[in-house]
Amino acid sequence: MESCFIYSVQDMAKDVTYICPYIGALRGTLTVTNYRLFFKCMDREPAFVLDLPLGVVSRVEKIGGASSRGDVSYGLVCKDIRNLRFAHKQMEDSLRKSIFEILMKCAFPVSNGLTIFAFEYGQVYPENGWKVYDAQAEYKRQGLPNESWRITKVNDHYELCDTYPSTLVVPVNIPDEELKRVAAFRAKGRIPVLSWIHPESQATVIRCSQPMVGVNGKRSKDDEKYLQTIMDANAQSHKLFIFDARPSVNAAANKMKGGGYESEDAYQNAELVFLDIHNIHVMRESLRKLKEVVYPNIEESHWFSNLESTHWLEHIKLILAGALRIADKVESGKTSVVVHCSDGWDRTAQLTSLAMVMLDGHYRTIRGFQVLLEKEWLSFGHRFQLRIGHGDKNHTDADRSPVFLQFIDCVWQMTRQFPAAFEFNEYFLITILDHLYSCLFGTFMCNSEQQRVKEELPKKTVSLWAYINSQPEEFTNPLYVNYSNHVLFPVVSMRHLELWVGYYIRWNPRMRPQEPVHQRYKELLAKRAELQKRVEELQREVTNRSASSSSERAGSPTRSITPVQTFV
Amino acid sequence: MIETFGIKLICSKNSCLSPVVCLVVSVSCRLCLVVSCRLCLSPVCLLSSVCLLLSVCLLSSVCLLSSVSVPSTGEVVFCSASTVLKYTQDDLSQRGVFGVLLCTNFRVSFVSDEAPTEEMGQLFKNKLYGENDIPLSCVDNIYGGSEDKRKLITGGLVKNKYPSKMIIHCKDLRVFQFSLSFSKEEDAKKIFQGIVHHCLEPKSLRCLFAFSYCENTSYPEAQRKKQTVMFDSVEDWTQDMKRTKGNCRVVSENSNFELSPKLPQYFIVPKNVSDEDLTKYQGKGLPMWCWSHHSGCALFKTASIPLVQEDNVPQTYMEKMLTAVAHNHLYSVKTEDLSDTLPTVQDILLSYNRFKQFFLIDNTTEFWMSDMKWFSSLDNCGWLDIIRQCLQKAVEVVESLEKENTNVLIMEEGGSDLCCVVSSLVQLMLDPYYRTLLGFQSLVQKEWVAGGHAFLDRSNHLHLKDKVESQSPVFLLFLECVWQLQQQHGPAFQFSETYLTVLSDSIHVPVFTTFLFNNDGHRDSLLRAESPHTQRSPLNCPTVWDWSVQFDCKAQDLFTNPLYTEKPKQDTSVRKSYRPRHLRQLSLPSSAFKTPPKKGFFKDEADNLKKILGVKRLSRWMLSPSSDSPQTSSSVREFYEAWQTKPLDYHGLLLPCLDGPSIRVWMQRYLRWIHDVQILGGGPVAMLSKVSEILGEVQELQRQLDRHGCTLTSNHKGARPRAKTAAAVIAARSSVRLSSSFPFVTSRNWSFKPAIPTSLLQSLMVTGMAGNLADREDDGGPESLV
């Protein structure tokens, strides 16, 4: 797809050995450009090709010195659950060194003062993906502003909160001045704002960061009044649920650093619930263990115990369970909910966006999901640059964490449980994750809306949605049924959670299905389309004929034709 | 014969449990009650209290049964109690419904006092028993409970004692909880003891419901014969051998069990087996033909002869048999003693008993507690690993047949347990005919029923103390393996997951002759003895394949897989004209005498006649060590990978992926009754209904085209829509209202509230995990510590 672009070939080496964990050693040509690493082995039929965007590389390391046979090798640790290993002959040491250096340079442009490839990629797509999300339009779809909620411009220049979007929805009765006072009491100024409103009950999903309670149990009248107003905006319930995503121990520990959680004394009518989701470090460690278990080979005998020991699915379960409780309170309890963690950009984003997927069928469409990501993740400042570490060689950075990956995994779990409720397919989710790392598109660059505006990403880079929306058929679930307003309550028992083999174990050829099932559904749909076409053609023909024959022999009974059914 | 007020009392000499009087109650088609009374001289003794109760209950039962849907005639009510509380399974709130609890000769039945609700559940209603009925043989365990304690009841009761609460675990994994504390003490005692007696104590085969059912039900036999090949005639066997181009000898000399009652009525052996060989060791060591590969090699199975060291006679016999299998040394032969490499039937039972406990859930709290350790529990019980081992063994055999073209002889002690599992799996993988619904039923007939799997002993329906050891869910294990294959290669199978689940339930419905006997001879002798018309035809009982006994046509539509790919060119006579698509070799034994390609797992017997006959060599394979199994697994791996790179052909060879994540839990079967894991509006049925809808549309379009006198010229090789599929059944209902338990649980009991884990979420977290990580601030850098 990027054939017309500036790939500068940085280096090319013949007679490189790729040590494939499944096939074994393969000899071929290795090419490194400023975007990708490309390895081709012609000895096999069909030719073996490895094509890897350099953005995926987390670290490059030399492995050992010279081995007994005089080979030297280096390995690439990748963000997408695989490791690659290449080897050269020792006498080509100069060459090897050059490839290693080129890799270090091109895989980590940020560390080397270079630009990320997304800024050079200039493919033109029919649609401008940056226009997919328009905050005003999305709030309008939700019926906002209305008598209780207004759209404020207070953060237009990111002065109230530099990690929030410019467009915010807040209660009508709270003037901008008061918002500023609330911001002083919330970590990083991330005040409670509306994310989603129930079309019927007017119950809302509110997100924010932790209150700055501190060890002394500081209170803020403004914040208390603010939450009371949020509760009052929903006439159906006289209660407000505050979901703190953290384990209560961690929430309490935050008091030492000035943070904390709402006390039920200060916030009357509010009930505080801890959702026990662990922090980014625990999640990172869990994924590291998972990679050990699934890559390159799976140990057959203790598969489930090994899987359990990574705790990955337990974390997924907790996140889904939290989102489920939120969705349940909003839908069944008709109660507004406030969701926060510490800063409100990791666990909070997971919870609100998952709850919104459960509550609102729009977010289960291809475009709706794009809007959801743009809104809850990108505009509300999930720190993609830090969490992924685009182009940064510092692979041990403690800020890195698979928070977004977990969210996509949760969505995938839901698509497994509700196979007809999502317009998009598994490939759509995998594509998003692949380009989360690839650095081809500007979508996941930077940490906040403010930074994106400053970097002029919409002007200088292409959005992932431009690419996806240029070929939606690739990403469409052929069995999608539009349930419209149906709320999905996934089952969050381990019995129904499974490891996402299609993503985490996709490099293992044995786990690859020979024919993806959706291929058969597609065939079926093609068959229907073909038949439909033929029936329509015949219909036309018959109509034409009967028209001509009736003119010839007026009054003769013409065969009645069943009208062709049209299918949506 | 007395008849009073529409109540008919029949006295007959026939089998009945009690030494006193039993009352047979049934509803005739005119809905008048027929009460038959029988004297019975069976030595099996019923507790006298229970019998006394019968007379007491008579009147109430009569009134009662008129409101129960009685599926079948010949049913006897033993005892009953009213105002029994049935707990609604999934909460601890002690809520439930009141009703009458009955025990008959067929089932334990709960009749709710509330008016029965007629709703969509009727779609998949079993005609023999309802959702509150438990066929007696389906009862797995009974627990007596008082307050929070519960105790396994093993029969042999203390008089006058009964628990206030009775928990029944069923073999189809339902769990019932009844409170007896609201009933009259006398009634409660009797119903409890009655149920325990009839469900857990030893009884004679004649007491199984099948016999009274069959005597009282007229049943059209002709219909079934046309469908499933029963392998109860020479023709069936001959035809199957012809179909696969086998070249062996059909033995019909045992048609009246003159040779041996232990041998099947009909069977096929290698040509060179002489008549006198047939009976030499009561059929042990006799190689029975299972299936022929298109290359000419074939699969045989046998019961192994226990080897006596000093005695050379069995060895000589085995040598002869091996030569016969080798077809006069045209083929090499591999032998495989399954007893050495696969788990024993006791292992299978133990593992399954651990496994099933994860699904027999008494309450929600218990469920969510067990959820935490779900994955490691799965590993620890070993059930999935046993499934994997069986599949792997089958793949090894397939490799020998398909790749090496050697004859394979599998053996084990009885020759009718794991041999049946492996041989049927091999045939499913190699022969697309067996992946059709009728083909599959024929396969079960051939390998399991005619093949002499001891269904009765393995299920121990009779609760005989001396058979406790032989109990084992071997057939269920086979169905599990089939399910795995089907899960991985859906479009290759004509039957659905629901079909397999229903089949696994039917094992415990004591009506079908399929699962009641140990072998052909056993079946024949009993059916003859039980026949009401002595000297004439044996008792005519339905087989499980007579699905109309259990389900109406609409429900049976759910047995077929709408995505099944039929063969592009469908011949009307599939069985005769069958020719595998992956045919690459001539049917001639081209590989005769070729040296085996590599040292496989199987002991290679064959390339040299001398070697086959060498006693030393023979005894070596008899000992068949399993030391080289890692090698096997890598060989199987290669075989799988080579197959995987070829384009997939649903009518050719199918191999399962055996890696960890590929072997799964059969969700539909095991999770269907657990409320907390039902996905409302989701599950496979959501997909099924959409596919059905599209298929329906395709059919409609096709019809329109046909009406225009036009046939579609393009030969689209994709899914050719089947006539009537599940489409009609489901499409009408919005799948939003269906759940992942479809079609087994109705949506009536839905609370639309999601199931939220009740356990302390925190407690499951990561005890041994690097604790300091959990305590750290979200943002790694110290600069972000506010």
Side-chain angles (χ1 to χ4, degrees):
Chain A
M1 64 179 160
E2 54 276 335
S3 53
C4 39
F5 291 100
I6 339 114
Y7 284 126
S8 38
V9 171
Q10 303 286 317
D11 196 0
M12 207 171 135
K14 286 185 178 144
D15 207 16
V16 173
T17 306
Y18 165 57
I19 301 149
C20 173
Y22 308 106
I23 305 170
L26 294 162
R27 281 159 72 89
T29 317
L30 180 72
T31 311
V32 179
T33 75
N34 54 347
Y35 170 61
R36 72 175 78 198
L37 176 153
F38 188 82
F39 174 83
K40 193 168 186 181
C41 164
M42 299 299 286
D43 301 347
R44 291 178 67 89
E45 189 56 50
F48 176 89
V49 170
L50 185 77
D51 185 351
L52 176 87
L54 292 176
V56 169
V57 177
S58 157
R59 109 179 168 234
V60 184
E61 59 185 19
K62 292 183 200 175
I63 299 170
S67 72
S68 55
R69 289 185 301 141
D71 281 353
V72 280
S73 62
Y74 47 91
L76 308 183
V77 178
C78 300
K79 295 171 182 173
D80 59 356
I81 327 289
R82 60 176 157 166
N83 300 331
L84 306 174
R85 209 174 142 182
F86 297 94
H88 293 285
K89 283 267 178 282
Q90 173 76 336
M91 48 268 209
E92 303 166 64
D93 195 27
S94 56
L95 174 69
R96 178 188 66 82
K97 214 169 169 189
S98 103
I99 280 199
F100 180 78
E101 277 161 7
I102 294 288
L103 275 175
M104 285 303 282
K105 189 180 98 190
C106 298
F108 310 114
V110 173
S111 306
N112 292 298
L114 302 170
T115 48
I116 284 179
F117 184 74
F119 291 92
E120 288 166 47
Y121 180 63
Q123 177 75 288
V124 180
Y125 290 101
E127 183 186 330
N128 180 356
W130 292 105
K131 300 250 189 262
V132 161
Y133 175 61
D134 170 10
Q136 300 274 356
E138 166 58 17
Y139 289 122
K140 197 175 168 206
R141 187 191 67 85
Q142 294 188 22
L144 299 167
N146 63 16
E147 65 278 8
S148 309
W149 297 91
R150 69 185 178 99
I151 291 174
T152 175
K153 291 279 165 194
V154 69
N155 203 34
D156 228 9
H157 301 289
Y158 309 103
E159 281 158 351
L160 179 80
C161 171
D162 60 357
T163 56
Y164 259 13
S166 58
T167 308
L168 296 172
V169 177
V170 295
V172 164
N173 303 335
I174 307 288
D176 288 353
E177 278 315 302
E178 280 186 39
L179 292 179
K180 287 176 187 161
R181 292 204 293 274
V182 173
F185 189 63
R186 290 278 166 180
K188 312 257 183 348
R190 295 171 67 92
I191 58 166
V193 292
L194 180 145
S195 265
W196 190 78
I197 184 164
H198 195 285
E200 281 143 30
S201 72
Q202 303 286 301
T204 51
V205 177
I206 309 289
R207 62 180 291 171
C208 58
S209 60
Q210 63 182 341
M212 301 308 283
V213 176
V215 267
N216 300 324
K218 215 167 64 184
R219 288 175 62 165
S220 158
K221 283 279 164 248
D222 294 301
D223 195 67
E224 288 159 24
K225 179 190 166 196
Y226 188 74
L227 289 196
Q228 182 64 37
T229 318
I230 286 169
M231 196 195 86
D232 293 341
N234 170 21
Q236 304 255 6
S237 172
H238 302 293
K239 225 177 164 174
L240 183 73
F241 274 90
I242 302 173
F243 286 99
D244 189 326
R246 302 164 292 186
S248 56
V249 186
N250 299 38
N254 262 286
K255 287 186 176 174
M256 304 302 292
K257 298 155 196 155
Y261 50 89
E262 295 83 354
S263 76
E264 288 179 9
D265 296 340
Y267 297 83
Q268 283 168 13
N269 306 317
E271 191 176 324
L272 185 70
V273 179
F274 293 103
L275 295 177
D276 298 319
I277 301 168
H278 278 271
N279 66 26
I280 61 168
H281 313 293
V282 175
M283 303 307 188
R284 183 179 56 237
E285 178 62 13
S286 173
L287 183 65
R288 190 191 61 75
K289 282 188 188 155
L290 181 67
K291 186 173 175 176
E292 270 177 10
V293 169
V294 300
Y295 188 88
N297 286 305
I298 308 157
E299 199 195 316
E300 213 161 76
S301 48
H302 302 291
W303 161 247
F304 286 110
S305 307
N306 290 341
L307 180 63
E308 190 174 274
S309 71
T310 71
H311 300 290
W312 183 255
L313 286 176
E314 280 170 44
H315 296 306
I316 297 289
K317 171 181 163 172
L318 282 171
I319 296 165
L320 272 171
L324 180 68
R325 295 175 76 166
I326 293 167
D328 177 45
K329 278 285 168 278
V330 172
E331 175 68 22
S332 321
K334 298 185 167 134
T335 312
S336 292
V337 297
V338 174
V339 185
H340 70 71
C341 45
S342 296
D343 293 313
W345 51 44
D346 291 313
R347 288 168 273 196
T348 303
Q350 288 176 333
L351 290 167
T352 55
S353 51
L354 279 172
M356 285 157 77
V357 167
M358 293 172 195
L359 290 164
D360 190 339
H362 177 64
Y363 299 124
R364 294 173 224 143
T365 63
I366 290 179
R367 281 175 177 270
F369 192 73
Q370 295 168 9
V371 168
L372 183 75
L373 293 191
E374 287 282 350
K375 180 177 182 303
E376 287 303 299
W377 289 84
L378 293 156
S379 83
F380 275 97
H382 173 69
R383 308 204 291 170
F384 280 101
Q385 177 63 45
L386 274 175
R387 296 285 177 257
I388 309 301
H390 295 303
D392 187 345
K393 69 175 180 188
N394 183 13
H395 60 85
T396 54
D397 188 350
D399 265 326
R400 294 197 185 176
S401 187
V403 174
F404 183 72
L405 168 63
Q406 280 184 320
F407 161 70
I408 296 289
D409 193 329
C410 290
V411 173
W412 179 82
Q413 302 285 351
M414 285 185 68
T415 63
R416 291 287 293 182
Q417 295 193 16
F418 303 95
F422 291 81
E423 192 192 13
F424 47 82
N425 56 20
E426 181 181 33
Y427 182 56
F428 174 76
L429 297 177
I430 292 177
T431 305
I432 290 175
L433 288 177
D434 281 347
H435 290 296
L436 170 68
Y437 306 123
S438 75
C439 293
L440 186 62
F441 299 103
T443 303
F444 299 112
M445 301 290 139
C446 301
N447 289 320
S448 65
E449 188 178 292
Q450 186 197 30
Q451 285 182 13
R452 274 178 211 104
V453 171
K454 197 175 142 226
E455 295 283 334
E456 296 180 288
L457 281 181
K459 219 187 269 174
K460 292 183 177 164
T461 68
V462 180
S463 160
L464 170 59
W465 315 131
Y467 162 63
I468 283 183
N469 294 338
S470 70
Q471 41 181 340
E473 63 286 348
E474 283 293 308
F475 303 107
T476 307
N477 170 12
L479 295 182
Y480 175 56
V481 181
N482 191 348
Y483 290 105
S484 63
N485 287 325
H486 182 62
V487 177
L488 305 183
F489 289 135
V491 171
V492 297
S493 158
M494 281 297 177
R495 268 84 159 174
H496 276 305
L497 298 185
E498 52 183 305
L499 187 74
W500 186 4
V501 170
Y503 182 75
Y504 300 105
I505 319 187
R506 62 179 158 154
W507 310 118
N508 186 338
R510 293 168 56 77
M511 296 304 295
R512 233 170 271 159
Q514 280 159 305
E515 184 199 58
V517 179
H518 69 251
Q519 200 54 43
R520 292 198 42 78
Y521 303 142
K522 275 191 179 167
E523 269 175 37
L524 198 60
L525 290 175
K527 169 106 179 164
R528 180 176 67 174
E530 177 193 323
L531 286 170
Q532 246 160 15
K533 211 175 116 211
R534 285 196 58 83
V535 168
E536 273 157 30
E537 272 167 20
L538 277 167
Q539 210 75 65
R540 258 198 307 281
E541 205 176 304
V542 170
T543 322
N544 289 345
R545 249 189 244 161
S546 64
S548 58
S549 66
S550 61
S551 61
E552 280 163 23
R553 297 177 287 142
S556 71
T558 47
R559 209 159 37 121
S560 68
I561 300 145
T562 345
V564 183
Q565 275 175 269
T566 48
F567 303 101
V568 192
Chain B
M1 193 173 286
I2 315 143
E3 202 165 330
T4 358
F5 309 116
I7 297 176
K8 190 161 60 174
L9 300 168
I10 309 160
C11 302
S12 74
K13 62 174 164 59
N14 235 328
S15 64
C16 187
L17 261 184
S18 92
V20 275
V21 183
C22 274
L23 301 154
V24 182
V25 183
S26 62
V27 181
S28 82
C29 50
R30 288 181 294 122
L31 278 175
C32 76
L33 284 166
V34 183
V35 181
S36 320
C37 155
R38 283 177 172 184
L39 275 171
C40 164
L41 303 167
S42 158
V44 183
C45 191
L46 184 74
L47 289 174
S48 55
S49 57
V50 176
C51 302
L52 280 174
L53 171 79
L54 292 174
S55 50
V56 179
C57 293
L58 169 62
L59 282 174
S60 62
S61 309
V62 167
C63 312
L64 219 146
L65 272 180
S66 58
S67 67
V68 190
S69 63
V70 174
S72 44
T73 50
E75 191 167 1
V76 186
V77 174
F78 291 140
C79 48
S80 76
S82 49
T83 50
V84 170
L85 181 73
K86 174 182 169 264
Y87 293 107
T88 31
Q89 190 191 325
D90 25 64
D91 55 23
L92 286 167
S93 63
Q94 309 286 303
R95 270 180 302 156
V97 280
F98 281 102
V100 179
L101 191 60
L102 295 158
C103 179
T104 77
N105 60 342
F106 171 49
R107 59 186 162 163
V108 173
S109 182
F110 176 80
V111 187
S112 167
D113 292 344
E114 287 166 23
T117 40
E118 290 289 323
E119 32 62 69
M120 57 179 289
Q122 306 304 324
L123 162 73
F124 201 65
K125 194 172 151 16
N126 191 312
K127 293 198 236 169
L128 290 179
Y129 61 99
E131 58 175 348
N132 283 327
D133 296 334
I134 315 161
L136 296 184
S137 347
C138 187
V139 172
D140 194 9
N141 280 316
I142 300 177
Y143 295 89
S146 49
E147 302 311 315
D148 12 312
K149 272 191 279 181
R150 90 174 191 193
K151 201 182 142 213
L152 181 67
I153 308 289
T154 49
L157 293 165
V158 184
K159 261 185 199 167
N160 296 324
K161 262 192 91 177
Y162 70 94
S164 59
K165 191 172 170 185
M166 179 163 55
I167 304 165
I168 301 180
H169 287 182
C170 304
K171 288 180 178 163
D172 59 10
L173 301 154
R174 288 180 294 169
V175 173
F176 288 89
Q177 300 187 53
F178 299 108
S179 168
L180 302 176
S181 34
F182 305 94
S183 316
K184 270 185 274 173
E185 203 181 312
E186 195 67 1
D187 285 0
K189 189 170 77 193
K190 279 168 185 165
I191 192 75
F192 177 73
Q193 294 184 333
I195 288 175
V196 168
H197 176 84
H198 291 289
C199 295
L200 301 179
E201 309 253 309
K203 57 173 126 183
S204 87
L205 182 58
R206 289 157 199 203
C207 294
L208 286 187
F209 182 62
F211 297 100
S212 24
Y213 176 82
C214 298
E215 277 168 28
N216 292 286
T217 317
S218 65
Y219 172 74
E221 186 179 15
Q223 188 190 353
R224 119 171 64 122
K225 285 275 174 188
K226 269 184 240 145
Q227 299 175 350
T228 304
V229 186
M230 300 301 282
F231 289 92
D232 56 359
S233 68
V234 183
E235 293 75 38
D236 289 350
W237 283 98
T238 315
Q239 202 152 32
D240 199 57
M241 192 169 64
K242 271 190 193 158
R243 187 180 69 83
T244 59
K245 303 200 165 21
N247 189 16
C248 293
R249 166 188 160 197
V250 183
V251 179
S252 58
E253 283 82 348
N254 201 35
S255 62
N256 290 317
F257 306 99
E258 288 120 337
L259 294 177
S260 159
K262 292 202 167 158
L263 281 173
Q265 207 167 3
Y266 305 96
F267 54 94
I268 299 181
V269 293
K271 276 221 161 116
N272 297 0
V273 173
S274 68
D275 280 351
E276 62 190 43
D277 292 334
L278 292 176
T279 49
K280 208 151 189 180
Y281 291 95
Q282 301 95 42
K284 280 187 184 138
L286 188 63
M288 303 278 195
W289 174 88
C290 299
W291 185 78
S292 289
H293 187 255
H294 56 75
S295 66
C297 60
L299 174 66
F300 297 86
K301 63 180 175 188
T302 188
S304 42
I305 307 177
L307 202 62
V308 189
Q309 285 298 322
E310 292 78 31
D311 184 9
N312 259 346
V313 184
Q315 285 188 358
T316 329
Y317 178 71
M318 275 320 289
E319 284 157 29
K320 197 175 167 196
M321 289 303 110
L322 269 183
T323 321
V325 169
H327 210 285
N328 279 334
H329 322 301
L330 278 171
Y331 291 93
S332 47
V333 180
K334 284 185 169 183
T335 59
E336 170 64 27
D337 193 338
L338 301 179
S339 321
D340 290 340
T341 51
L342 290 181
T344 64
V345 287
Q346 284 80 23
D347 293 339
I348 293 168
L349 177 69
L350 280 174
S351 174
Y352 182 69
N353 279 345
R354 283 196 295 259
F355 177 70
K356 76 182 177 196
Q357 291 308 326
F358 308 147
F359 309 100
L360 295 164
I361 302 292
D362 291 349
N363 63 62
T364 308
T365 321
E366 190 187 299
F367 173 79
W368 287 106
M369 288 297 286
S370 66
D371 206 44
M372 298 172 195
K373 289 281 159 221
W374 165 243
F375 286 117
S376 48
S377 318
L378 268 187
D379 258 357
N380 294 339
C381 77
W383 180 244
L384 293 182
D385 203 51
I386 291 179
I387 294 171
R388 176 180 295 118
Q389 288 178 47
C390 291
L391 285 166
Q392 168 153 342
K393 186 59 64 187
V395 174
E396 285 167 21
V397 174
V398 167
E399 186 183 2
S400 303
L401 292 164
E402 173 80 13
K403 198 168 130 198
E404 291 154 28
N405 299 142
T406 54
N407 279 350
V408 178
L409 175 65
I410 50 175
M411 58 175 75
E412 68 179 318
E413 201 189 317
S416 59
D417 289 302
L418 290 160
C419 276
C420 297
V421 174
V422 171
S423 72
S424 335
L425 287 175
V426 167
Q427 294 174 60
L428 270 172
M429 291 177 195
L430 281 163
D431 192 338
Y433 165 61
Y434 294 123
R435 296 176 218 142
T436 63
L437 197 137
L438 290 178
F440 181 74
Q441 299 186 161
S442 307
L443 181 67
V444 175
Q445 281 298 129
K446 180 167 93 168
E447 292 300 324
W448 294 82
V449 180
H453 175 67
F455 278 109
L456 186 67
D457 287 353
R458 292 290 172 244
S459 62
N460 199 14
H461 281 325
L462 307 179
H463 303 282
L464 302 177
K465 296 281 180 263
D466 58 330
K467 296 287 186 191
V468 169
E469 290 285 290
S470 56
Q471 199 175 338
S472 185
V474 179
F475 186 64
L476 176 66
L477 173 64
F478 164 63
L479 295 182
E480 283 262 17
C481 295
V482 177
W483 183 86
Q484 303 289 345
L485 274 172
Q486 190 200 42
Q487 213 48 24
Q488 294 187 19
H489 306 291
F493 292 85
Q494 193 190 20
F495 48 88
S496 66
E497 178 184 23
T498 302
Y499 170 82
L500 289 175
T501 306
V502 167
L503 184 56
S504 75
D505 289 345
S506 304
I507 304 169
H508 314 297
V509 182
V511 166
F512 310 110
T513 51
T514 319
F515 303 123
L516 286 184
F517 305 100
N518 283 333
N519 53 47
D520 273 353
H522 188 213
R523 174 180 301 100
D524 186 76
S525 66
L526 265 146
L527 290 182
R528 258 175 222 290
E530 286 303 306
S531 171
H533 323 282
T534 9
Q535 311 292 331
R536 272 197 281 161
S537 61
L539 191 61
N540 178 23
C541 283
T543 70
V544 71
W545 317 126
D546 301 310
W547 291 111
S548 57
V549 173
Q550 291 191 78
F551 297 98
D552 61 25
C553 297
K554 266 205 164 153
Q556 284 182 51
D557 283 343
L558 293 172
F559 290 173
T560 52
N561 168 15
L563 278 179
Y564 174 60
T565 328
E566 265 171 50
K567 268 196 134 171
K569 253 193 183 166
Q570 189 74 38
D571 245 278
T572 41
S573 49
V574 193
R575 288 176 52 205
K576 277 180 195 162
S577 66
Y578 163 73
R579 207 172 164 75
R581 271 233 276 171
H582 57 104
L583 189 73
R584 281 186 295 267
Q585 288 140 321
L586 294 172
S587 295
L588 287 170
S590 57
S591 54
F593 282 108
K594 84 177 175 191
T595 40
K598 54 182 159 173
K599 48 299 167 190
F601 175 65
F602 295 99
K603 294 292 159 261
D604 212 303
E605 282 321 307
D607 42 54
N608 191 314
L609 172 61
K610 285 275 190 288
K611 277 188 185 168
I612 303 174
L613 297 176
V615 174
K616 228 174 128 191
R617 173 93 181 162
L618 188 68
S619 51
R620 226 181 65 176
W621 68 248
M622 285 300 228
L623 298 171
S624 187
S626 55
S627 54
D628 44 355
S629 67
Q631 210 172 15
T632 325
S633 126
S634 79
S635 146
V636 164
R637 194 168 276 248
E638 275 166 36
F639 181 55
Y640 175 78
E641 277 164 11
W643 170 79
Q644 202 192 15
T645 51
K646 285 182 211 136
L648 183 58
D649 174 9
Y650 286 123
H651 298 282
L653 174 66
L654 281 193
L655 293 179
C657 180
L658 300 173
D659 290 52
S662 304
I663 304 293
R664 297 157 175 275
V665 174
W666 185 353
M667 295 294 186
Q668 188 191 48
R669 176 173 154 80
Y670 293 104
L671 295 183
R672 59 194 153 147
W673 313 116
I674 304 173
H675 178 270
D676 277 6
V677 283
Q678 295 188 15
I679 307 167
L680 183 62
V685 67
M687 206 145 54
L688 184 66
S689 53
K690 178 69 183 176
V691 169
S692 304
E693 183 193 313
I694 300 173
L695 278 172
E697 287 168 15
V698 168
Q699 280 163 16
E700 175 57 30
L701 288 165
Q702 196 93 55
R703 248 195 309 280
Q704 284 179 28
L705 281 175
D706 291 348
R707 212 176 315 154
H708 289 304
C710 164
T711 43
L712 197 65
T713 41
S714 82
N715 46 354
H716 185 78
K717 81 171 194 5
R720 220 190 116 64
R722 299 177 27 74
K724 279 289 167 196
T725 53
V729 191
I730 323 162
R733 316 161 183 284
S734 149
S735 63
V736 171
R737 295 192 49 233
L738 302 173
S739 84
S740 55
S741 297
F742 179 85
F744 294 96
V745 172
T746 63
S747 64
R748 175 184 25 154
N749 299 323
W750 280 119
S751 58
F752 281 74
K753 299 261 306 164
I756 291 174
T758 55
S759 59
L760 289 173
L761 292 168
Q762 224 176 341
S763 64
L764 93 164
M765 285 309 304
V766 244
T767 24
M769 181 156 70
N772 57 331
L773 281 185
D775 301 337
R776 274 166 74 178
E777 257 300 286
D778 250 11
D779 294 277
E783 80 283 348
S784 63
L785 299 180
V786 183

